[in-house]
């Protein structure tokens, strides 16, 4: 219930925040004015109230003045509200009898050059917060049961790293990967910058460890179909797609591959080689099992082919196998769905030619396990390209035709590829057209310089205006902006460093998970600095390039960060949820359902028979959208009641009459 303002003995503590507040606000005048405000029994200021000496001042004042409510006038509550509420709770006060009056972002910064206005506004903000605090209820956090099992969506480097960290921490992990094998794009690479390590040395051990880990249950060739529930208690439906192969019988002999009459472009080799309708994505695939692509398999067309079934001595082929839906109950989710490359059609000035390839295709040509065994050959005729042109920022930093953001890794993987190309073809010449070089990661600036100086790659600062076929060559028209001269190169092959983009199904998954994707389709974190791997939906975390373009070290770091957040979450036996949330006044509710449709967190349900809404306290995040929408005013917000709101309005209208 609401306490009377007369019961509150309020202490106000104004922070200088160094000069962030004190340079614009006259803190001494603020304290003098606030000291006589009704309900305030003590007020003081200090340079850094969040520091240990500043906190000790608050502790002493609580004891000396018998305070039962505290207001801290300082920076945003997102920074130190938790600190100060923990402090007052340790002194025996209810933490919801502490409030933050934001006089930095809301006052001193916007009025940095007007000390009089800033001071007047700071006083008004504090008075308004006092009048709100007088009606605050003493709340108790809700207790939520915690299922200590984790879902990791995506089996690339980020997903594997997060899964291994969590599993090694002692908790069960369900790892779901949509393709037939884990490994992600990293398994396609020929090497990594700046050390040129082979991915087999990095990724293969992770894949094997994931497959063998006793606490990791792997569902490859599976999709997330439905997610419900809330942090600590998610319910997930996973659709395991039919492989049409009984893996308990299959011996991986490979005879089915030999007899399959169907050949389609290999996704793993980026269309540079063919695979069969029954296939294994690559030689080191995990799980090491074949799957049948029902979209290309002749058995599922009018032909009714059964060549693989006939040759299989173990009777492992099962054409009538169906998708299965698996239900799991979990406490937290890591989203590590990775990235795609932007389609080449965004650059019409580069003609559609088999010898104009993207960076990932060159990775496959450079890889010893690739379609050419690591020997770079032109896709069109198999000739060794003696002159190769690399074009950076294709689709990146191009708001008109592509994406406005920088894909971050392109500068470095182009340098790596040009070096590996020179090692494969020592007599070859590589040219790189670039806007500028972004090599801001440890060891990478030296790496790029080494490529230029020792690898003898020719870097040309400028854009390419046109690439077209001219007989056996590809003509590249560009300009060197450093010399101001036009350039024409007769190349054997052109490599486009295309932009990294979210997976095409990212926005659909965002809707399933009830998380936010930005305008580009990448999943959005709760706070770029303070909560960089959290989403706004409690219990769901981000890892790797599902969030933004990253290199492998950054991907590993973000996945480890997501894992550590979950290990911290699971360190307790139960969860405590912030009780400052919405609630329903059942006497006023008419069951119109407008609150249900407006709730971004899906925390409100409607009983159609009783015509009554109810709030799930474990899901509600207290955003207040329902209270603002409810036409009958039945939906209310604890510690943000209409009376508190109008008290604040009254303060400001009086101050500025």
């Amino acid at each position: 219930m609401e306490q009377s303002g007369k019961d509150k003995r309020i202490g106000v503590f104004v922070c200088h925040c160094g000069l962030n507040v004190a340079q614009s606000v006259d803190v001494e005048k603020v304290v003098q004015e606030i000291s006589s405000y009704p309900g305030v029994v003590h007020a003081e200021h200090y340079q850094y109230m969040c520091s240990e000496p500043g906190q000790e001042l608050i502790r002493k004042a609580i004891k000396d003045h018998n305070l039962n409510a505290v207001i801290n006038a300082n920076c945003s509550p997102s920074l130190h509200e938790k600190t100060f509420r923990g402090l007052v709770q340790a002194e025996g006060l209810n933490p919801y009898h502490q409030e933050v009056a934001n006089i930095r972002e809301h006052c001193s910064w916007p009025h940095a050059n007007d000390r009089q206005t800033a001071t007047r506004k700071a006083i008004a903000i504090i008075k308004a917060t006092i009048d709100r605090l007088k009606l605050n209820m003493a709340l108790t956090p809700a207790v939520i049961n915690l299922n200590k099992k984790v879902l990791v969506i995506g089996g690339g480097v980020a997903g594997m790293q997060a899964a291994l960290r969590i599993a090694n921490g002692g908790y069960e992990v369900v790892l779901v990967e949509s393709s037939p094998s884990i490994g992600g794009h990293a398994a396609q690479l020929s090497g990594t910058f700046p050390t040129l390590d082979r991915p087999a040395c990095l990724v293969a051990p992770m894949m094997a460890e994931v497959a063998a880990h006793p606490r990791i249950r792997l569902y490859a060739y599976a999709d997330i179909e439905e997610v419900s529930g809330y942090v600590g208690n998610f319910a997930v439906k996973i659709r395991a797609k039919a492989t049409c192969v009984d893996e308990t019988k299959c011996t991986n002999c490979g005879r089915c591959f030999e007899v399959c009459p169907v050949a389609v472009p290999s996704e793993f080799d980026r269309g540079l080689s063919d695979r069969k309708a029954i296939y294994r994505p690559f030689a080191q695939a995990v799980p090491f099992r074949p799957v049948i692509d029902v979209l290309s398999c002749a058995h599922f067309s009018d032909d009714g082919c059964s060549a693989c079934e006939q040759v299989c001595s173990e009777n492992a082929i099962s054409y009538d196998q169906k998708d299965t839906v698996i239900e799991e109950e979990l406490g937290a989710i890591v989203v590590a769905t990775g990235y795609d490359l932007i389609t080449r059609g965004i650059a019409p000035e580069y003609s559609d030619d088999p010898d104009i390839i993207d960076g990932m295709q060159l990775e496959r040509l450079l890889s010893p396990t690739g379609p050419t065994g690591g020997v770079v050959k032109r896709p069109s005729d198999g000739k060794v390209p003696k002159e190769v042109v690399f074009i950076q920022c294709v689709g990146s930093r191009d708001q008109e035709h592509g994406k406005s953001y920088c894909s971050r890794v392109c500068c470095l993987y182009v340098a790596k590829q040009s070096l590996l190309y020179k090692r494969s073809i020592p007599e070859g010449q590589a040219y790189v057209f670039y806007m500028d070089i972004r090599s801001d990661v440890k060891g990478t600036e030296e790496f790029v310089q080494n490529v230029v100086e020792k690898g003898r790659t020719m870097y040309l600062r400028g854009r390419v205006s046109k690439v077209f076929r001219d007989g056996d060559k590809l003509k590249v028209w560009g300009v060197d902006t450093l010399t101001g001269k036009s350039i024409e190169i007769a190349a054997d092959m052109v490599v486009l460093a295309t932009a990294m983009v979210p997976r095409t199904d990212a926005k659909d998954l965002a809707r399933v998970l009830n998380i936010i994707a930005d305008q580009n389709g990448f999943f959005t974190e709760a706070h770029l600095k303070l909560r960089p791997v959290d989403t706004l939906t409690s219990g769901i975390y981000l890892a790797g390039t599902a969030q933004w373009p990253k290199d492998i070290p950054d991907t590993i770091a973000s996945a480890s960060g997501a894992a550590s957040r979950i290990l911290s979450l699971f360190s307790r036996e139960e969860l405590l949820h912030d009780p400052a949330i919405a609630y329903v006044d059942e006497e006023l509710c008419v069951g119109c359902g407008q609150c249900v449709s407006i709730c971004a967190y899906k925390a409100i349900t409607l009983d159609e028979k009783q015509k009554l809404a109810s709030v799930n306290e474990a899901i509600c995040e207290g955003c207040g959208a329902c209270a603002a929408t409810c036409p009958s005013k039945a939906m209310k917000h604890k510690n943000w009641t209409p009376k508190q709101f109008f008290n604040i309005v009254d303060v400001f209208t009086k101050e500025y009459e």
Side-chain angles (χ1 to χ4, degrees):
M1 297 297 293
E2 295 179 359
Q3 271 191 346
S4 168
K6 297 178 181 179
D7 299 330
K8 298 281 200 321
R9 292 179 57 83
I10 301 172
V12 178
F13 302 89
V14 181
C15 182
H16 295 212
C17 199
L19 293 177
N20 282 309
V21 170
Q23 190 168 12
S24 306
V25 176
D26 186 341
V27 292
E28 293 184 357
K29 184 177 180 180
V30 170
V31 168
Q32 182 181 357
E33 182 79 18
I34 293 299
S35 296
S36 59
Y37 197 71
V40 176
V41 297
H42 176 73
E44 63 179 303
H45 60 87
Y46 186 70
Q47 188 169 16
Y48 291 108
M49 201 64 73
C50 60
S51 67
E52 182 54 36
Q55 293 185 48
E56 185 57 36
L57 287 176
I58 300 173
R59 295 189 191 99
K60 186 175 184 300
I62 290 173
K63 295 173 184 176
D64 293 348
H65 299 279
N66 194 27
L67 304 179
N68 59 16
V70 169
I71 285 176
N72 293 93
N74 42 251
C75 54
S76 167
S78 63
L79 290 176
H80 293 305
E81 182 180 72
K82 186 176 180 180
T83 300
F84 293 125
R85 284 191 170 176
L87 185 156
V88 301
Q89 186 173 23
E91 295 302 314
L93 279 62
N94 186 283
Y96 295 92
H97 285 167
Q98 185 278 339
E99 291 289 348
V100 172
N102 187 346
I103 61 170
R104 188 178 74 173
E105 287 85 349
H106 290 174
C107 183
S108 67
W109 283 356
H111 303 290
N113 299 317
D114 189 345
R115 189 172 180 81
Q116 183 177 354
T117 298
T119 302
R120 183 184 180 193
K121 186 175 179 181
I123 293 169
I125 290 173
I126 296 171
K127 286 181 177 179
T129 309
I130 292 169
D131 281 5
R132 177 194 168 193
L133 179 61
K134 289 177 181 178
L135 298 178
N136 268 14
M137 294 181 280
L139 303 178
T140 302
V143 178
I144 304 171
N145 293 329
L146 179 58
N147 184 330
K148 297 185 179 182
K149 187 191 295 185
V150 181
L151 170 67
V152 177
I153 307 173
V157 168
M160 292 190 294
Q161 175 72 4
L164 289 170
R165 283 294 182 95
I166 295 165
N168 289 336
Y171 302 104
E172 289 186 50
V173 176
V174 175
L175 177 59
V176 177
E177 166 58 42
S178 62
S179 67
S181 171
I182 58 175
H185 285 303
Q188 296 175 278
L189 302 179
S190 58
T192 59
F193 57 80
T195 56
L196 301 183
D197 292 325
R198 293 292 180 184
C201 303
L202 301 173
V203 181
M206 293 180 72
M207 295 167 64
E209 188 177 356
V210 166
H213 205 292
R215 294 193 187 93
I216 298 177
R217 193 180 320 139
L218 173 61
Y219 295 112
Y221 208 44
D223 293 318
I224 302 299
E225 190 165 88
E226 184 179 319
V227 176
S228 59
Y230 47 90
V231 57
N233 297 272
F234 289 109
V236 179
K237 290 184 179 179
I238 303 165
R239 179 170 293 277
K241 293 174 281 190
T243 63
C244 298
V245 177
D246 188 337
E247 57 186 291
T248 63
K249 297 179 180 179
C250 179
T251 61
N252 290 299
C253 65
R255 289 196 296 270
C256 53
F257 303 153
E258 298 171 2
V259 300
C260 180
V262 177
V264 295
S266 166
E267 296 87 352
F268 188 78
D269 280 337
R270 299 286 292 178
L272 296 174
S273 69
D274 290 336
R275 63 162 174 83
K276 299 299 182 73
I278 183 169
Y279 71 106
R280 191 181 297 117
F282 54 102
Q284 299 80 27
V286 175
F288 192 73
R289 67 179 182 195
V291 300
I292 293 179
D293 177 8
V294 297
L295 297 178
S296 59
C297 178
H299 177 83
F300 297 94
S301 66
D302 295 336
D303 296 340
C305 172
S306 59
C308 57
E309 182 183 39
Q310 294 172 15
V311 78
C312 182
S313 59
E314 304 298 325
N315 297 317
I317 305 301
S318 177
Y319 294 123
D320 59 352
Q321 192 180 94
K322 303 296 183 184
D323 294 357
T324 57
V325 176
I326 302 141
E327 297 186 8
E328 294 279 359
E329 294 183 352
L330 312 121
I333 299 172
V334 177
V335 184
T337 50
Y339 70 94
D340 283 332
L341 294 179
I342 198 167
T343 56
R344 284 169 46 188
I346 52 92
E349 63 270 27
Y350 309 145
S351 62
D352 187 10
D353 190 283
D355 292 333
I356 302 177
I357 63 175
D358 62 38
M360 192 61 76
Q361 288 177 304
L362 183 60
E363 294 285 348
R364 298 309 304 144
L365 292 177
L366 289 166
S367 174
T369 61
T372 58
V375 179
V376 180
K377 296 180 180 179
R378 297 202 319 180
S380 64
D381 55 15
K383 291 182 179 179
V384 174
K386 296 300 178 67
E387 291 191 286
V388 176
V389 173
F390 294 85
I391 305 175
Q392 294 193 174
C393 298
V394 178
S396 294
R397 303 171 67 186
D398 183 355
Q399 191 167 0
E400 185 175 352
H401 300 104
K403 303 296 182 180
S404 59
Y405 57 82
C406 171
S407 291
R408 297 190 63 208
V409 300
C410 311
C411 293
L412 297 172
Y413 79 62
V414 164
K416 173 202 71 176
Q417 289 174 346
S418 68
L419 187 58
L420 292 176
Y421 162 74
K422 287 285 288 183
R423 289 185 178 183
S424 175
I425 307 172
E427 70 277 15
Q429 178 61 56
Y431 304 87
V432 176
F433 281 91
Y434 70 99
M435 292 172 65
D436 48 58
I437 304 297
R438 297 188 171 182
S439 51
D440 58 348
V441 181
K442 180 180 180 180
T444 54
E445 177 63 23
E446 295 82 358
F447 174 68
V448 173
Q449 290 302 317
N450 184 61
V451 169
V452 174
E453 294 169 7
K454 296 182 180 179
R456 299 190 181 280
T457 296
M458 184 175 291
Y459 273 74
L460 302 166
R461 190 178 187 278
R463 302 288 286 177
V464 171
S465 61
K466 192 173 182 64
V467 180
F468 58 96
R469 170 67 62 177
D470 184 14
D472 190 44
K473 298 286 187 178
L474 289 168
K475 286 293 181 67
V476 180
W477 288 353
V479 63
D480 183 348
T481 58
L482 295 179
T483 63
K485 294 181 179 180
S486 297
I487 296 174
E488 180 180 301
I489 300 173
D492 297 307
M493 193 165 69
V494 173
V495 182
L496 307 180
T498 49
M500 293 173 67
V501 295
R503 287 174 54 90
T504 54
D505 59 354
K507 290 191 175 181
D508 292 334
L509 181 61
R511 282 189 285 269
V512 171
L513 295 172
N514 197 35
I515 60 177
I516 298 173
D518 64 19
Q519 69 271 25
N520 296 306
F522 290 106
F523 298 122
T524 302
E525 63 285 329
H527 191 288
L528 187 61
K529 295 178 181 177
L530 302 179
R531 297 171 64 193
V533 298
D534 297 37
T535 67
L536 288 172
T537 300
S538 297
I540 300 182
Y541 305 91
L542 304 175
T545 53
Q547 182 182 11
W548 196 249
K550 295 182 175 77
D551 59 10
I552 291 177
D554 279 353
T555 294
I556 293 286
S558 69
S560 299
S564 69
R565 292 287 288 127
I566 290 173
L567 293 175
S568 174
L569 181 74
F570 286 2
S571 66
R572 63 202 81 174
E573 292 303 315
E574 55 191 13
L575 297 178
L576 299 179
H577 188 68
D578 190 338
I581 57 174
Y583 68 99
V584 181
D585 186 333
E586 297 184 359
E587 294 183 359
L588 297 178
C589 182
V590 297
C592 67
Q594 290 190 33
C595 55
V596 177
S597 60
I598 200 66
C599 181
Y601 299 96
K602 301 179 181 178
I604 305 174
T605 55
L606 183 66
D607 187 324
E608 295 288 354
K609 291 183 178 180
Q610 297 187 29
K611 294 293 182 181
L612 187 65
S614 62
V615 178
N616 187 327
E617 294 185 355
I619 305 178
C620 179
E621 293 293 332
C623 69
C626 56
T629 302
C630 181
S632 59
K633 306 303 178 187
M635 193 65 70
K636 302 183 185 300
H637 193 293
K638 296 175 183 177
N639 288 350
W640 259 120
T641 61
K643 187 174 182 180
Q644 288 176 296
F645 177 79
F646 285 114
N647 280 353
I648 290 174
V649 173
D650 288 343
V651 169
F652 281 110
T653 53
K654 288 177 183 177
E655 288 294 322
Y656 288 90
E657 285 178 349

